[in-house]
Amino acid sequence: ANGQHPKQTESERERKSGIELGERVNTISAQVKASIFASASFARAAVARTVHRVARGQRPPLSLSSRRRRLSSKPLSKGVTGTTTRAMSSFQNLGFSSCFDSGNGKLVTISDVGGLPIMRVNITNDPYTEVDGRAHKMWFHFKVSNLRGLQGKPLTVVLPNAGDCSYPGGWGGEALKGTPEGAAPYRACFSVDRQNWLRLNDTSYEDGELRMTLDAKAEPALEGADFVYLAYFAPYSQEQHMDLMATVVASSAKATVRTIGRTLDGADMELVTVRGSAKDEDAKKVWFIARQHPGESQASWWIDGFLRRLLDPSDPIANALLAKAVVHVVPMMNPDGARRGYLRTNAAGANLNREWQTPKLDYSPEVFHVLREMHEEGLDFCLDVHGDEALPYNFIAGGEGCPCWSDRLAALQKEWCDAYERTNPDFQQVEGYPVDKPNEANLAIGSNGMCQAFDALVMTMEMPFKDNANAPDMKVGWSADRCRRLGGAAL
Ligand SMILES: [Zn+2]
């Protein structure tokens, strides 16, 4: 206290500096762990929650490290008994990252269970969505690296908060008819080259956790891999969208790309217009929009296949269509949500497919700008392309519940669906959502709002995350290529 050190013997000083060094090492390793386990924003949120709880007279939550202890003392692998689990064991060199375009996932622990590594990864929330009364989550996309250090041992990746996701039915549910005995209805997507996405057969959903086991003996594609990407569905990032615009669309003599506004993050909202021999005044105004829900990457693969075929100068169907119609395409309705790795919202937490009655520039500018263009250009038809978490089928949802619904629209819808089913049997009309009762449609949903505003045939197109149960494919499930072909077939 007076600034003078108490007299110490040589050995006391050595002991003390040893303790100090030990403390410093502990502090540094705690910092390293903290940087792995908790981002600054997570820590800030945790502090805010604690302050809030204490203010309400509640017990503060467990610290991160005590929660980790609890997690790691919980038996992680059923069937393995008499083993203890240690966080940050010999598998600590495994790498993890979701810090890239459309990445989502936060590493919780890496444990050693009976000599086998288990990685626990939480899916992170979208911002809170007012109209849905919750923060959505379900999209995941992350990279696990340094796999060679495992020396051939299988790695199990567990998503412990899968059961808290927006559509838990998407992980489990009934086995798909036509799949082998014991095949899981949802199997995760993985890739070692970011081009080919395969289904991980050893995926299971139990007690609210999704478990994915990466074993080169079962999945030859993993043999000798340094790293692997895991995702809810084959990703189609904002960067890929920009590549499509620059390489396929901008170079086509038939197409123009126009920036019609900006998102809250400052990304361009792009409108592609494709013209052939039809004169504007005679042409039907036909619209296709995709990725209102950013986690539904199927929609981008669908649009990719659709645009490539529409812009192919040698495609006779494309040219015949463009003799009668001007085609407007918004390939990426939600660039911010896609880049941020969200399931359902834009940067502000807006579920864009609930914003079509009164879109706001400061909350849902994406819908605001597109709807303005629709009113300026006119709209005779629109397809809004999505993916559905639970149903293993391709189907449409129509505007039967809109006040404007009529025999004319019903006949057009029937004709369109019959033609689509003939052209590509991956589309079907048996399974789907319950049809809205007359006058009960939610007009804030894009397809209903447009149907009512333009008295036109407007439908929501849904594709599965799982597979098409009428034609399952155990290797790729419902895949990027099948989405592309379904998109091309829509011509
Ligand atoms: Zn959707």
Side-chain angles (χ1 to χ4, degrees), residues 24 29 53 126 133 160 175 194 213 241-242 246 250 281 289 420 488:
R24 274 183 52 214
S29 83
R53 277 169 177 244
D126 295 2
R194 287 165 46 84
T213 298
H241 158 76
M242 288 157 69
E281 55 272 28
I289 68 172
Y420 200 24

Side-chain angles (χ1 to χ4, degrees), residues 293 296 344 386-387:
H293 292 145
E296 295 161 9
R344 258 178 111 69
H386 288 251

Side-chain angles (χ1 to χ4, degrees), residues 281-455:
E281 55 272 28
D282 306 327
K284 295 282 186 199
K285 310 301 186 301
V286 177
W287 288 76
F288 295 83
I289 68 172
R291 288 300 280 282
Q292 289 204 75
H293 292 145
E296 295 161 9
S297 55
Q298 299 95 324
S300 284
W301 293 112
W302 191 103
I303 286 284
D304 187 295
F306 173 79
L307 272 176
R308 284 176 198 274
R309 185 166 181 200
L310 184 64
L311 298 178
D312 178 349
S314 308
D315 193 292
I317 305 268
N319 292 331
L321 176 68
L322 293 170
K324 295 179 177 174
V326 171
V327 181
H328 298 289
V329 186
V330 184
M332 182 59 89
M333 280 293 298
N334 193 342
D336 296 353
R339 200 185 57 259
R340 288 168 172 237
Y342 291 166
L343 177 75
R344 258 178 111 69
T345 78
N346 72 354
N351 176 350
L352 295 182
N353 204 24
R354 299 293 182 273
E355 291 290 315
W356 288 77
Q357 278 300 86
T358 48
K360 295 174 199 72
L361 260 182
D362 60 353
Y363 185 62
S364 45
E366 300 89 347
V367 175
F368 183 95
H369 293 304
V370 170
L371 193 54
R372 184 198 61 229
E373 293 296 321
M374 286 173 167
H375 280 289
E376 270 173 30
E377 303 287 340
L379 185 151
D380 296 300
F381 170 93
C382 181
L383 195 69
D384 178 13
V385 189
H386 288 251
D388 184 84
E389 289 79 0
L391 289 176
Y393 299 99
N394 291 290
F395 58 96
I396 59 103
E400 290 90 342
C402 293
C404 72
W405 190 250
S406 59
D407 290 348
R408 180 184 76 91
L409 290 179
L412 283 173
Q413 183 165 298
K414 171 106 181 37
E415 200 176 332
W416 190 92
C417 289
D418 287 349
Y420 200 24
E421 192 173 17
R422 280 196 304 276
T423 311
N424 186 326
D426 271 332
F427 178 76
Q428 56 80 55
Q429 302 180 62
V430 177
E431 305 286 345
Y433 300 146
V435 174
D436 283 338
K437 294 195 179 72
N439 295 310
E440 286 188 7
N442 177 357
L443 298 180
I445 293 175
S447 57
N448 293 336
M450 285 181 253
C451 177
Q452 184 61 28
F454 296 97
D455 188 21

Side-chain angles (χ1 to χ4, degrees), residues 55-331:
R56 289 186 306 177
Q58 294 174 337
R59 202 163 61 91
L62 295 171
S63 71
L64 255 187
S65 58
S66 53
R67 262 185 285 164
R68 273 208 303 281
R69 276 199 301 279
R70 285 200 164 187
L71 276 175
S72 57
S73 62
K74 201 173 142 190
L76 293 177
S77 175
K78 295 187 181 78
V80 179
T81 52
T83 57
T84 54
T85 60
R86 286 175 293 128
M88 300 301 286
S89 69
S90 56
F91 302 119
Q92 63 187 290
N93 287 330
L94 277 170
F96 175 91
S97 179
S98 60
C99 185
F100 42 78
D101 188 334
S102 81
N104 185 313
K106 192 174 198 64
L107 180 64
V108 184
T109 52
I110 300 171
S111 315
D112 177 340
V113 181
L116 296 177
I118 299 213
M119 189 176 248
R120 294 172 78 82
V121 177
N122 270 335
I123 300 177
T124 56
N125 283 347
D126 295 2
Y128 186 82
T129 303
E130 203 79 46
V131 292
D132 299 331
R134 68 162 293 161
H136 288 287
K137 61 167 166 276
M138 193 135 177
W139 172 258
F140 65 90
H141 180 198
F142 52 82
K143 175 191 182 192
V144 182
S145 57
N146 298 348
L147 295 178
R148 281 178 198 265
L150 296 176
Q151 296 175 322
K153 287 178 182 159
L155 165 67
T156 298
V157 180
V158 180
L159 307 184
N161 66 355
D164 302 330
C165 286
S166 299
Y167 304 97
W171 307 124
E174 281 175 39
L176 308 193
K177 60 176 195 266
T179 57
E181 181 95 21
Y186 173 74
R187 290 167 294 124
C189 299
F190 75 97
S191 178
V192 294
D193 59 10
R194 287 165 46 84
Q195 305 298 318
N196 299 292
W197 289 84
L198 304 175
R199 295 288 176 153
L200 190 64
N201 281 312
D202 198 344
T203 303
S204 61
Y205 179 66
E206 212 181 317
D207 300 334
E209 295 188 337
L210 191 77
R211 300 175 74 88
M212 305 169 279
T213 298
L214 299 153
D215 184 356
K217 290 184 192 78
E219 304 284 356
L222 292 168
E223 219 171 280
D226 289 313
F227 52 76
V228 62
Y229 286 83
L230 286 163
Y232 187 25
F233 193 83
Y236 196 106
S237 66
Q238 169 68 355
E239 287 280 335
Q240 274 167 285
H241 158 76
M242 288 157 69
D243 286 346
L244 182 76
M245 292 299 101
T247 58
V248 177
V249 178
S251 64
S252 166
K254 300 181 193 175
T256 56
V257 187
R258 199 153 53 86
T259 297
I260 57 169
R262 282 192 204 296
T263 65
L264 297 172
D265 279 350
D268 284 348
M269 286 301 297
E270 288 172 315
L271 173 63
V272 176
T273 299
V274 185
R275 286 188 171 83
S277 58
K279 289 196 179 74
D280 263 26
E281 55 272 28
D282 306 327
K284 295 282 186 199
K285 310 301 186 301
V286 177
W287 288 76
F288 295 83
I289 68 172
R291 288 300 280 282
Q292 289 204 75
H293 292 145
E296 295 161 9
S297 55
Q298 299 95 324
S300 284
W301 293 112
W302 191 103
I303 286 284
D304 187 295
F306 173 79
L307 272 176
R308 284 176 198 274
R309 185 166 181 200
L310 184 64
L311 298 178
D312 178 349
S314 308
D315 193 292
I317 305 268
N319 292 331
L321 176 68
L322 293 170
K324 295 179 177 174
V326 171
V327 181
H328 298 289
V329 186
V330 184

